Amino acid sequence: MTNSSSGNRRLAASAAETIARASGVVRHDIGLTLGSGWANIVSELGETLADIDAREVPGFLKPVVDGHSGQIRSVRLATGKHLLIIGARTHLYEGHGPDPVAHGVRTAAAAGVTTMILTNASGSARREWKPGTPVLIRDHINLTATSPLDGGEFIDMSTAYSEELRRLAHEIDPELPEGVYAQFRGPQYETPAEVRMAAVLGADLVGMSTALETIAARALGLDVLGVSLVTNLAAGVSPEPLAHADVVAAGTAALPRLAALLRAVLERL
Ligand code: 8IG
């Protein structure tokens, strides 16, 4: 084990301790990281036991983008299971390297979580997946040229996005499309040529999160469910320029379907 990975573990353990103290919950079961636009669907999932400003939790950096709530919430579900909502995501494009990116997942694992639900917003490389389409992530392509892991950690990524969890999501919503998510570093969006490249490589969605978090989650043995909400067609996919109001409206229209999916998945975990 390298010094940096033991440092990461210590920081995550300290964050988990803060969460346990604030919530009175020693072990959480399920983790949920919120993508942009997802914050509105988490109300009424259960009883909120603690709502913590992420700045009070060790290792969480102040988010640079609005729409990331910056809250960490402990919720008791109707099933009695404990859900840890991580509403404070650090992106690689913020320039702090991959460790702060992986900190949410590592904190969830340190808090006892064994199932991690990662959500995001993405651009679609497929013109038939219009803004407002929810997509189950089947696999990813990490185009960031980096990793949250260092040293000799040879993690199996052959079923990084749990087949069992995808089956469960499909039992609930059989029409849910499934696709491959390519993570770019950002913060700039892709050129049309880069989107075509990603599509040729096998990507259906492009985004700036999730793949590195999934790598960190798999290294800790967590089962991962990834759900992406398409909020725009990726650059060059549609000849029409995108109207921001349409994107927001499409996202809002999709929220009931996403909320129903999430609620049903959580009931059955
Ligand atoms: I929302 O088109 C959202 N996030 N890389 N490209 C990338 N990230 C995104 C996009 C997109 N849309």
Side-chain angles (χ1 to χ4, degrees):
M1 166 142 335
T2 64
N3 288 333
S4 76
S5 66
S6 66
N8 294 333
R9 270 214 321 213
R10 258 201 310 277
L11 192 56
S14 151
E17 209 175 284
T18 299
I19 292 164
R21 209 177 316 117
S23 63
V25 177
V26 186
R27 282 193 78 78
H28 287 78
D29 305 288
I30 306 156
L32 169 64
T33 297
L34 298 177
S36 30
W38 283 77
N40 295 332
I41 77 166
V42 301
S43 56
E44 294 157 38
L45 288 176
E47 182 194 351
T48 297
L49 301 181
D51 207 4
I52 315 161
D53 188 322
R55 284 170 300 188
E56 291 164 20
V57 182
F60 285 89
L61 308 179
K62 195 173 148 22
V64 296
V65 185
D66 287 349
H68 297 262
S69 69
Q71 293 295 115
I72 291 171
R73 188 182 294 183
S74 173
V75 173
R76 183 177 22 231
L77 302 174
T79 57
K81 296 226 168 156
H82 291 281
L83 172 70
L84 184 63
I85 302 177
I86 310 279
R89 182 179 245 162
T90 297
H91 294 82
L92 192 64
Y93 61 68
E94 294 174 52
H96 307 295
D99 280 325
V101 171
H103 183 61
V105 160
R106 288 174 174 153
T107 295
V113 161
T114 53
T115 299
M116 194 73 212
I117 304 174
L118 298 173
T119 68
N120 65 42
S122 64
S124 171
R126 300 172 69 127
R127 86 185 69 232
E128 70 272 24
W129 290 355
K130 301 256 176 334
T133 307
V135 180
L136 209 49
I137 301 176
R138 182 177 67 237
D139 203 349
H140 77 223
I141 302 174
N142 172 14
L143 295 177
T144 66
T146 190
S147 166
L149 311 181
D150 287 302
E153 282 197 81
F154 304 111
I155 302 303
D156 176 30
M157 293 293 288
S158 53
T159 49
Y161 297 85
S162 159
E163 283 178 341
E164 198 181 320
L165 293 175
R166 282 187 280 136
R167 200 175 313 121
L168 174 62
H170 271 146
E171 276 171 26
I172 294 157
D173 190 341
E175 304 298 310
L176 204 59
E178 217 178 58
V180 174
Y181 176 91
Q183 181 178 356
F184 284 82
R185 180 192 185 274
Q188 75 285 357
Y189 291 116
E190 298 71 34
T191 64
E194 287 165 344
V195 172
R196 283 197 302 276
M197 175 194 77
V200 163
L201 296 180
D204 304 294
L205 304 171
V206 290
M208 303 178 194
S209 69
T210 306
L212 296 182
E213 292 158 300
T214 294
I215 294 167
R218 294 305 296 146
L220 293 164
L222 308 188
D223 294 323
V224 176
L225 177 68
V227 187
S228 187
L229 174 62
V230 171
T231 62
N232 60 280
L233 291 177
V237 173
S238 165
E240 295 144 47
L242 228 72
H244 182 66
D246 293 348
V247 170
V248 171
T252 305
L255 288 181
R257 187 177 177 191
L258 291 177
L261 173 67
L262 192 62
R263 199 178 298 274
V265 166
L266 291 172
E267 266 170 26
R268 294 164 72 162
L269 284 178

